[in-house]
Amino acid sequence: MFSTAQPIYPVRAIREIEDQLVPSAKPSLMERAGRAAAEDAVRLILDRPGAILVACGPGNNGGDGFVMARQLAQAGREVVVAFAAVPERLPTEAAKAHADYLAAGGTIVSDLPAAPASGWALVVDALFGIGLARPIEGRYAGWIDSLNAQPAPRMALDVPSGLDADTGQPLGTTFRATHTTTFIALKPGLLTNDGPDYCGEISVQRLDIEAPAWVPMRGQAIRPTLFRAHLRPRPRNTHKGNHGDAGILGGNTGMVGAALLAGRAALWLGTGRVYVGLLDEHGPSVDCSQPELMLRRAHALPERLSALAVGPGLGTQPAAEGLLAAALGRPVPLVLDADALNLIGTDVALQSALAAREAPSVLTPHPAEAARMLGCDTACVQGDRLHATLEIARRHRALVVLKGCGSIVATPDERWFINGTGHPGMATAGMGDVLTGLVVGLLAQGWPAESALLAAVHLHGAAADRLAREGIGPVGLTASETIDAARGVFNGWLIEAQRDPRITPPQRPIR
């Protein structure tokens, strides 16, 4: 559980690492990459007989494919290599890999062959690597369509051809892998946007390179390791006052459920007391399903709170705007979601108040809300999710999570993280409200803002994953169901952390 969080590098940084290593690397990076890919392939098809098809392109990705094909052939596997480019135009290292493959007795066909009667054991995409910046057309587009139609396992080298390695955007025709072997480090486009749908299972082959030793690391995959120091069991001698007071502000007419979901999530994650301030004048005075929540009118939330969340079901009427403005002035950790973000996106005064805050601010937009905050459309945000998240964090001096497939967390100092938990069943009403409740619950209990956000985002998806394993979802999963599961996963983390000698023993909070 507490494995090291893997670094993530954009293409520019990967190129910088390669530029420093290529001249002196022994064996070459291409030789290492092809060998590592062949080892992954052998593990993948250990009990699957038959020929392997490797489609090689006109650049260094094709060179990786030639090395891989040579290694597999020398291991006794039948290999068919398809290569349509001109060998003399290959880059230097790729040309050497091509020559070495032929010298080892390998043969090449100039067009993609039909599958044998028994089918391919494996098809390999070694057409275009991480540097591709244009749609694939013509012959290679046809090859990709044919490869995608094969019922065999489909393996991509470094990144599926046609997928932008930085953004996860498909650039037209794109290889759809069941497995991707990527080199040196993870890339953002493998983990977010459409990337996970095209990559399948990802294997990272570091090629004996410690990437952070060559280029400083700005991005990481979220793992419990990143917040394990705060997974401390509670002392036996404790009371609810030691575990924080969380406030939820929202619940306008017709949207009371959003605020209640956030409140329940904060409560079930262990917050000492949870107050829910409702804008609906006719809203309930008690949550009959969760009577432990203390319901108030919006203006009657206590002044003394450990953390406050604003937005679930807030609405955008003048009254909501005034309450948001007042909340921005409170010297407590603040979580802003939903209509709170929509209001900030159109109001310069609110933007200035947010940027001027000294206490931590956490923003949790989905792509449409992020677009309103940036003054663009949703397609622009999804076109480069990492850039959008970093820009919102910079503008508002806040921690930000851009929700979606591969949720991205960014900090004001331009560090970033990508989450890998969760599944499509979470695309349903109320899930964002539950996340807000998880974040504010941890903040109320004294967690630092960055750790609270990372833990809540990872926990949110892990809870949904647990439910799916138990047959609850993914289709038909509800936000309410994830609250109970989140509590179970979180307590499992606490138990596991107690077995880890690196976790310090609990200390009683001072109140």
Side-chain angles (χ1 to χ4, degrees):
M1 174 183 291
F2 296 113
S3 58
T4 302
Q6 292 180 293
I8 311 171
Y9 284 89
V11 171
R12 174 185 49 77
I14 293 290
R15 294 299 192 215
E16 188 175 342
I17 293 169
E18 291 174 339
D19 288 346
Q20 295 180 68
L21 288 170
V22 164
S24 59
K26 302 292 182 187
S28 71
L29 298 190
M30 186 170 290
E31 188 69 23
R32 298 182 202 181
R35 185 182 304 164
E39 291 170 356
D40 274 355
V42 168
R43 286 189 289 268
L44 180 59
I45 59 170
L46 198 58
D47 57 352
R48 189 180 176 92
I52 299 168
L53 173 62
V54 182
C56 292
N60 285 327
N61 198 242
D64 296 338
F66 288 124
V67 175
M68 178 189 187
R70 190 187 81 238
Q71 293 281 341
L72 289 170
Q74 290 172 341
R77 295 300 300 235
E78 181 185 354
V79 181
V80 178
V81 172
F83 175 64
V86 178
E88 291 76 17
R89 295 181 182 174
L90 284 167
T92 302
E93 286 292 329
K96 181 179 184 304
H98 172 268
D100 289 347
Y101 169 70
L102 293 177
T107 58
I108 290 174
V109 296
S110 60
D111 207 350
L112 209 63
S118 58
W120 300 109
L122 174 71
V123 297
V124 180
D125 161 31
L127 293 172
F128 299 96
I130 60 175
L132 187 71
R134 56 178 174 76
I136 297 173
E137 300 172 342
R139 179 199 295 262
Y140 291 121
W143 280 22
I144 289 173
D145 286 337
S146 295
L147 294 173
N148 284 342
Q150 301 304 312
R154 299 180 301 277
M155 182 177 178
L157 301 192
D158 217 5
V159 63
S161 291
L163 186 74
D164 189 305
D166 279 342
T167 68
Q169 283 273 88
L171 303 169
T173 302
T174 302
F175 183 71
R176 194 175 287 272
T178 59
H179 299 77
T180 296
T181 293
T182 198
F183 306 124
I184 300 178
L186 289 165
K187 290 84 182 173
L190 304 181
L191 306 175
T192 192
N193 212 352
D194 290 311
D197 286 322
Y198 284 93
C199 292
E201 288 185 27
I202 299 172
S203 167
V204 180
Q205 291 288 349
R206 295 187 294 114
L207 311 184
D208 296 322
I209 297 168
E210 292 295 334
W214 297 92
V215 172
M217 175 179 60
R218 307 297 293 178
Q220 288 179 277
I222 301 177
R223 298 285 188 276
T225 304
L226 295 174
F227 46 84
R228 70 184 178 198
H230 306 289
L231 292 169
R232 297 173 178 167
R234 293 180 175 180
R236 294 171 65 88
N237 184 18
T238 190
H239 58 82
K240 65 179 180 286
N242 295 136
H243 308 301
D245 296 335
I248 312 291
L249 180 58
N252 215 321
T253 304
M255 298 181 288
V256 169
L260 295 181
L261 282 170
R264 292 172 187 175
L267 184 70
W268 282 46
L269 206 56
T271 308
R273 289 175 288 236
V274 180
Y275 300 88
V276 181
L278 301 175
L279 275 81
D280 186 349
E281 292 297 328
H282 304 289
S285 57
V286 64
D287 178 359
C288 294
S289 297
Q290 199 68 67
E292 296 87 350
L293 294 177
M294 291 174 277
L295 274 53
R296 303 281 192 275
R297 299 280 76 81
H299 59 80
L301 276 177
E303 284 297 319
R304 187 178 179 275
L305 292 171
S306 307
L308 174 62
V310 184
L314 182 71
T316 56
Q317 296 93 332
E321 187 171 354
L323 289 165
L324 172 59
L328 290 169
R330 287 198 180 204
V332 297
L334 190 62
V335 184
L336 301 177
D337 184 30
D339 280 330
L341 301 174
N342 292 328
L343 287 167
I344 287 169
T346 59
D347 191 306
V348 174
L350 293 176
Q351 294 167 15
S352 297
L354 173 58
R357 281 176 47 81
E358 295 298 329
S361 304
V362 177
L363 316 182
T364 63
H366 58 53
E369 291 159 351
R372 295 182 193 111
M373 298 187 78
L374 292 171
C376 63
D377 59 22
T378 304
C380 178
V381 170
Q382 292 294 82
D384 194 338
R385 287 170 52 80
L386 177 56
H387 173 78
T389 314
L390 287 165
E391 179 61 17
I392 293 172
R394 184 194 65 78
R395 287 189 190 183
H396 299 292
R397 296 180 61 245
L399 288 156
V400 180
V401 55
L402 177 60
K403 296 178 287 194
C405 181
S407 292
I408 299 176
V409 173
T411 68
D413 61 352
E414 297 186 343
R415 289 176 297 109
W416 47 276
F417 309 83
I418 302 181
N419 185 54
T421 60
H423 56 68
M426 299 179 73
T428 188
M431 282 291 179
D433 305 311
V434 170
L435 176 61
T436 294
L438 297 176
V439 179
V440 78
L442 292 176
L443 288 171
Q445 292 172 65
W447 279 51
E450 182 177 313
S451 296
L453 181 56
L454 294 175
V457 168
H458 197 66
L459 175 62
H460 193 218
D465 288 341
R466 171 182 281 191
L467 289 169
R469 289 193 298 270
E470 296 170 353
I472 304 171
V475 176
L477 179 68
T478 65
S480 296
E481 291 170 309
T482 62
I483 297 173
D484 184 17
R487 177 174 63 179
V489 172
F490 187 74
N491 278 289
W493 289 351
L494 290 170
I495 292 169
E496 189 66 27
Q498 291 178 59
R499 302 190 182 113
D500 190 328
R502 292 167 293 188
I503 304 298
T504 56
Q507 295 181 352
R508 235 181 123 178
I510 299 174
R511 297 282 180 183

